[in-house]
Amino acid sequence: MIHTGKWSPPDKRASGGKGANRKREPSSITRAIIATFWEYTERTKVSGMWLLRRNRTYGVSRFIWSSVLLQLLLLSIYLTLLLWLKFYSYPILNTISNDLSITDVAFPGVTICSPKVVNSERVDRYVKTLKIPKEYDIAEVAAGFEFLNAFTDQSFEPPSHESFKATDAVLRLNNVTTWEAAMAVSPGCSDYVKRCFWGHTEFQCNQSHEYLSFIPTTAYLGPCCSFNYNPRNASFVPFSANIFGMDGGLTFVGAEGSERNLNTGLIVLVHHPMDYVTESAASVTITARSESFVEVSPTVQSSSAEVLELSERKRDCLISDDLRLRNYRQAACLLACQTEAIVQKCGCHPYLLPIVGNKFKECNLNDTFCYSANYGG
């Protein structure tokens, strides 16, 4: 008997031929990676990896540990990339040079100050030169100059009297600034700088010379006398020296500025010639009938041309070209911040700080309470 029907190809699963039920074998590279991983888990000391060894963890526990280790790996890669991007954004190169010529280092500024800002003898002489209306007592006007100590004495406590009001009114009437008044009643260069020497050559201490001269200045101690430092002259350029040792540099003979009290001595401050003199300056106190020496060891910090050519955002600092200034140092930045803070609080800038423009008025004696309360301590 003959049966008819549809023909179908033979089933390969039942034929046992080449296409039989067999898993695809992994490549040799995959097998090597897997074998290396298992060997690594057996030999490594890294915390947590030993939990991935064969026959150590199973199921959910193995999955959790694998997830934790994978996340830690990704976190380490992320932090590495952040570090690299930060370095790439701020490529700073520090170089220490020991072959800098001494002629390239500016001679330091030397500032001499008297511990006593207001000199009573000078006050008595100065008030006689002022035009004082009849409604003001000359003794009261003289007593008001004591309030100048509020700008320099951190422990200043205002006196019980209010003579500063009369003094301030008289100074306004005579068109005298606080700076001019402070310079007039404080010891000056001629009072405590008597003889000056550069190396072995003597020169006139108060002569009209661009460099070899002492001029009236101000510091955090008030009115002072300075060499190679002129904060009120924006175009001042300090000079560099090519001599060193005890036989070179600056030597001066000083005397206490008070005419009656010779026991307080003088304070000598050594600082960078372009920086306003603050408490951070090296100082030495000279007492009567004594000799003192100040050793200066300069340190020069500079930026490479590659850093200066970076944008302000990448450089993360300001330079002279950014502000269109001839010279701009960190001390100038801190001084500007300090001045801004005082102006915001008291509406003026103290006479002893360098002039920063005409937009801020100078503090007068009526502003001493605000300054002493906020910045005197």
Side-chain angles (χ1 to χ4, degrees):
M1 182 181 292
I2 300 175
H3 298 276
T4 60
K6 293 182 178 181
W7 179 87
S8 59
D11 190 353
K12 292 184 178 181
R13 291 177 296 179
S15 64
K18 188 175 181 180
N21 185 18
R22 293 190 335 192
K23 295 182 180 179
R24 185 177 180 182
E25 294 294 334
S27 64
S28 58
I29 297 178
T30 304
R31 290 196 302 270
I33 294 175
I34 295 175
T36 302
F37 174 77
W38 292 123
E39 183 178 358
Y40 178 73
T41 59
E42 293 290 339
R43 296 176 179 273
T44 183
K45 303 281 186 186
V46 178
S47 177
M49 287 297 295
W50 65 276
L51 292 169
L52 298 182
R53 296 173 183 173
R54 292 176 177 177
N55 303 324
R56 184 65 189 182
T57 54
Y58 303 93
V60 178
S61 176
R62 189 178 188 85
F63 173 78
I64 292 175
W65 275 108
S66 300
S67 301
V68 170
L69 293 175
L70 179 60
Q71 292 176 20
L72 291 176
L73 176 62
L74 295 176
L75 178 62
S76 64
I77 296 175
Y78 173 73
L79 294 177
T80 303
L81 290 176
L82 283 182
L83 183 62
W84 167 253
L85 291 175
K86 183 177 180 181
F87 169 77
Y88 183 76
S89 301
Y90 303 97
I92 305 300
L93 177 63
N94 294 325
T95 303
I96 300 177
S97 177
N98 295 322
D99 56 355
L100 184 67
S101 174
I102 193 172
T103 57
D104 295 332
V105 181
F107 189 81
V110 179
T111 298
I112 309 170
C113 305
S114 173
K116 192 173 181 62
V117 175
V118 180
N119 184 291
S120 58
E121 295 90 351
R122 278 179 165 263
V123 171
D124 293 337
R125 291 197 298 264
Y126 183 63
V127 293
K128 295 177 181 179
T129 65
L130 300 174
K131 297 179 180 180
I132 303 177
K134 295 181 179 180
E135 60 267 25
Y136 296 111
D137 180 59
I138 188 172
E140 184 181 15
V141 174
F145 284 100
E146 182 182 356
F147 285 80
L148 287 172
N149 292 316
F151 296 107
T152 57
D153 187 0
Q154 296 184 355
S155 60
F156 175 78
E157 294 184 3
S160 57
H161 56 83
E162 295 183 345
S163 58
F164 70 91
K165 295 181 179 180
T167 307
D168 188 76
V170 171
L171 292 178
R172 290 174 182 268
L173 180 64
N174 288 265
N175 197 26
V176 176
T177 64
T178 309
W179 183 85
E180 292 172 338
M183 288 296 181
V185 301
S186 301
C189 291
S190 59
D191 293 320
Y192 47 70
V193 182
K194 301 300 183 180
R195 299 184 66 184
C196 302
F197 301 84
W198 179 252
H200 295 287
T201 305
E202 184 174 3
F203 64 90
Q204 294 296 323
C205 299
N206 302 311
Q207 65 181 340
S208 178
H209 192 278
E210 185 178 5
Y211 297 119
L212 297 181
S213 177
F214 279 88
I215 62 173
T217 59
T218 55
Y220 75 97
L221 293 172
C224 301
C225 188
S226 297
F227 177 86
N228 199 33
Y229 171 63
N230 191 350
R232 300 180 72 86
N233 183 3
S235 60
F236 173 74
V237 179
F239 74 94
S240 301
N242 57 359
I243 59 175
F244 55 91
M246 294 183 60
D247 295 331
L250 176 68
T251 303
F252 73 92
V253 178
E256 167 56 40
S258 175
E259 299 173 1
R260 299 177 183 175
N261 185 2
L262 301 178
N263 298 321
T264 55
L266 295 172
I267 300 176
V268 180
L269 302 153
V270 181
H271 53 91
H272 192 282
M274 298 301 295
D275 292 348
Y276 174 72
V277 187
T278 63
E279 293 89 338
S280 61
S283 63
V284 60
T285 300
I286 300 178
T287 57
R289 300 179 181 86
S290 66
E291 185 177 15
S292 300
F293 300 89
V294 179
E295 179 183 0
V296 179
S297 299
T299 300
V300 177
Q301 295 179 340
S302 60
S303 298
S304 63
E306 292 78 6
V307 173
L308 297 177
E309 291 174 356
L310 294 174
S311 64
E312 180 182 331
R313 182 186 64 82
K314 287 187 175 183
R315 198 186 329 113
D316 198 26
C317 66
L318 294 175
I319 59 176
S320 303
D321 293 340
D322 298 332
L323 303 175
R324 297 181 179 179
L325 297 175
R326 182 181 56 81
N327 187 284
Y328 187 73
R329 292 169 47 82
Q330 184 180 25
C333 176
L334 297 176
L335 180 63
C337 294
Q338 179 184 2
T339 304
E340 291 282 356
I342 296 174
V343 169
Q344 291 180 3
K345 199 71 175 182
C346 301
C348 62
H349 76 90
Y351 77 90
L352 49 84
L353 296 182
I355 298 176
V356 292
N358 298 324
K359 58 180 179 178
F360 302 144
K361 79 178 188 70
E362 188 180 63
C363 295
N364 51 41
L365 294 181
N366 290 326
D367 300 312
T368 55
F369 289 95
C370 176
Y371 182 84
S372 177
N374 293 281
Y375 303 99

